[in-house]
Amino acid sequence: MGTVTVESTLETVFRMESARIIATVTRVVRDVGIAEEIAQDALVAALEQWPRSGVPDRPGAWLTATAKHRAVDLVRRRETYARKLAEVGRSLPEEAYDPEPSGPGDIDDDVLRLVFTTCHPVLSAEARAALTLRLVCGLRTEEVARAFLVPEATVAARITRAKRALAKAGVEFEVPYGPERAARLGSVLEVVYLVFNEGYAATAGDDLLRPALCEDALRLARGLAALLPDESEAHGLAALLELQASRIPARTGPDGHPVLLADQDRRRWNRLLVRRGYDALARAWGSPGTEPGGGRDHGPYALQAAIAACHARAASYEETDWAVIAGLYGRLMERAPSPVVELNRAVAVSMTEGPAAALALVDALAAEPALARYHLLPSVRGDLLARLGRDGEARAEFARAAELTRNGRERALLRARAGELPSGEAP
């Protein structure tokens, strides 16, 4: 295997396994910042050894074992040998490779602890989310910045300060209980949602999807729902992710290019995940007979899940109940106002009141700083302009959206949509 191929394989494996590696090492060193550094050390060791020795049969286990052994060496150097050896020995079998986890629950347990640790209230809400995306997703700083629509330097500073704050506060590596758990839950739900979104529509790279991130987020969401059976928003998040994940088989064509929702073959949607989504949504809304349009107050994830369920129930894009979706987005704006939610509401409004009404809503968002480099704003505007017959303007908007996105597949789609339109105005 050539060096380039080894490096490519290692990059893929590390992206998939980094959260588990960091979680495992954090259990030993009790410091997420140091754990990340040790995980990076293991990555460097693999870069040095794998080109000579070949990729191991279980590369994730090799990286985990290497990182764990380095963590033990660090603990032994820093602490009294006899006391720490007994503590570490209980969790570290002496073998060349650690055994693979016995089941998904084992993985989820440590990763869930890592999420709760990085979502400690000693950190600001922004720092919690940024640090978790960095450690749990293995996202680069620039990708985290993209997810939050803020400058890269801002995110880098947040992550650095967050690691120091956790170390200074001596935050335990654990899933907390009672009021302490409640204090972290909002941030935990948010970062699981962001992890899924990065997998569902990657902010950068050559592929639209990062399925491993979607799978990790789904496992975490299911674990949270089981851990918190009376928490509506935990079930709402699980429902939302199940329903969104059900569309993944239809989101790309055989060549990997994105397929718009309007063009997706709904027969390819995963009906098992749809059913799981419906079940979780019923728990989020209170009872199996509760309809999403009811008057009961619900949180942002339950509302978004209800929107996703409207799409899942429709036999086709044209048969979607856009009026209900527009109403749900209106309620979501009341509960969790944001320019992105308003942009999504505008899409629903375009299907109920026409593109002209929606264009007015989109144009009102043009001055929003958070959307200044958000490629979906000109993308939506381009679609509305095309439907109004303003082809030249639409073409320019699609071209601008293509320049803003850092995902190669999305860029190709947007350029194709721009190329399909004539350059002048319709007569």
Side-chain angles (χ1 to χ4, degrees):
M1 185 179 291
T3 302
V4 175
T5 305
V6 170
E7 290 179 356
S8 176
T9 299
L10 178 55
E11 180 181 0
T12 300
V13 171
F14 191 74
R15 275 197 176 248
M16 294 174 62
E17 301 291 337
S18 61
R20 300 176 180 91
I21 296 169
I22 293 170
T24 299
V25 174
T26 301
R27 179 187 289 277
V28 178
V29 300
R30 305 292 175 176
D31 185 310
V32 294
I34 293 174
E36 186 186 21
E37 292 175 5
I38 291 174
Q40 291 291 334
D41 288 345
L43 177 64
V44 171
L47 282 170
E48 294 172 348
Q49 296 180 39
W50 290 8
R52 297 194 304 269
S53 61
V55 177
D57 292 337
R58 294 182 295 159
W62 190 100
L63 289 167
T64 301
T66 299
K68 207 170 187 181
H69 293 155
R70 290 183 182 224
V72 171
D73 288 342
L74 177 64
V75 169
R76 285 171 173 166
R77 288 197 303 269
R78 287 188 169 187
E79 305 290 344
T80 304
Y81 178 84
R83 178 167 59 85
K84 275 298 177 183
L85 183 60
E87 178 184 330
V88 173
R90 286 193 294 270
S91 61
L92 179 65
E94 290 296 329
E95 54 183 280
Y97 294 102
D98 288 351
E100 295 287 355
S102 59
D106 293 337
I107 294 173
D108 291 345
D109 193 50
D110 265 356
V111 175
L112 197 58
R113 285 190 179 95
L114 180 61
V115 174
F116 270 99
T117 300
T118 55
C119 287
H120 195 279
V122 73
L123 306 177
S124 68
E126 295 83 0
R128 295 175 208 167
L131 182 61
T132 309
L133 285 175
R134 180 75 180 88
L135 299 184
V136 176
C137 293
L139 298 188
R140 295 185 296 272
T141 304
E142 63 198 57
E143 293 174 314
V144 179
R146 188 76 173 177
F148 285 108
L149 306 176
V150 297
E152 184 177 339
T154 301
V155 169
R158 284 178 187 170
I159 291 172
T160 299
R161 288 196 298 266
K163 291 177 186 175
R164 290 173 181 167
L166 289 177
K168 184 177 180 180
V171 173
E172 290 295 323
F173 180 63
E174 63 183 4
V175 176
Y177 295 90
E180 192 174 351
R181 175 185 293 175
R184 303 189 204 182
L185 182 60
S187 288
V188 170
L189 294 174
E190 179 187 13
V191 297
V192 172
Y193 176 64
L194 290 171
V195 168
F196 182 87
N197 281 350
E198 179 60 29
Y200 192 72
T203 56
D206 296 327
D207 297 315
L208 178 70
L209 301 169
R210 295 174 61 181
L213 288 183
C214 291
E215 292 167 7
D216 282 346
L218 267 172
R219 284 196 292 267
L220 288 171
R222 291 166 183 164
L224 283 167
L227 187 67
L228 306 165
D230 298 324
E231 177 55 54
S232 171
E233 278 291 78
H235 294 296
L237 178 63
L240 174 60
L241 302 196
E242 300 280 8
L243 291 165
Q244 292 288 85
S246 73
R247 303 180 201 167
I248 288 176
R251 290 199 73 230
T252 56
D255 56 0
H257 288 299
V259 179
L260 298 174
L261 179 62
D263 301 325
Q264 288 177 16
D265 181 356
R266 299 187 176 212
R267 294 171 298 181
R268 297 187 63 200
W269 288 8
N270 187 316
R271 305 315 299 181
L272 173 61
L273 293 182
V274 169
R275 287 195 296 273
R276 291 180 66 114
Y278 289 161
D279 291 343
L281 181 60
R283 289 189 288 271
W285 282 79
S287 70
T290 304
E291 286 298 321
R296 184 179 169 188
D297 186 34
H298 293 284
Y301 298 113
L303 289 168
Q304 291 179 77
I307 292 167
C310 285
H311 288 294
R313 292 189 181 102
S316 68
Y317 189 77
E318 293 73 22
E319 296 175 64
T320 304
D321 195 336
W322 292 104
V324 170
I325 290 177
L328 287 166
Y329 271 122
R331 292 173 63 181
L332 184 59
M333 276 297 292
E334 295 172 2
R335 287 300 310 270
S338 84
V340 174
V341 171
E342 181 65 0
L343 183 63
N344 287 326
R345 187 174 80 87
V347 174
V349 168
S350 77
M351 302 300 293
T352 57
E353 302 177 30
L359 185 61
L361 297 175
V362 172
D363 286 345
L365 295 171
E368 285 285 347
L371 299 184
R373 298 193 59 78
Y374 186 51
H375 72 283
L376 291 182
L377 177 63
S379 175
V380 169
R381 192 167 189 274
D383 182 70
L384 297 175
L385 289 167
R387 288 165 59 186
L388 290 168
R390 295 161 62 176
D391 295 328
E393 294 174 77
R395 181 187 178 96
E397 288 297 302
F398 285 134
R400 178 168 173 264
E403 291 176 1
L404 290 175
T405 184
R406 298 181 64 183
N407 183 279
R409 297 291 188 181
E410 281 191 314
R411 185 181 302 113
L413 173 65
L414 291 163
R415 286 175 175 167
R417 296 195 71 187
E420 292 166 358
L421 295 168
S423 57
E425 291 295 320

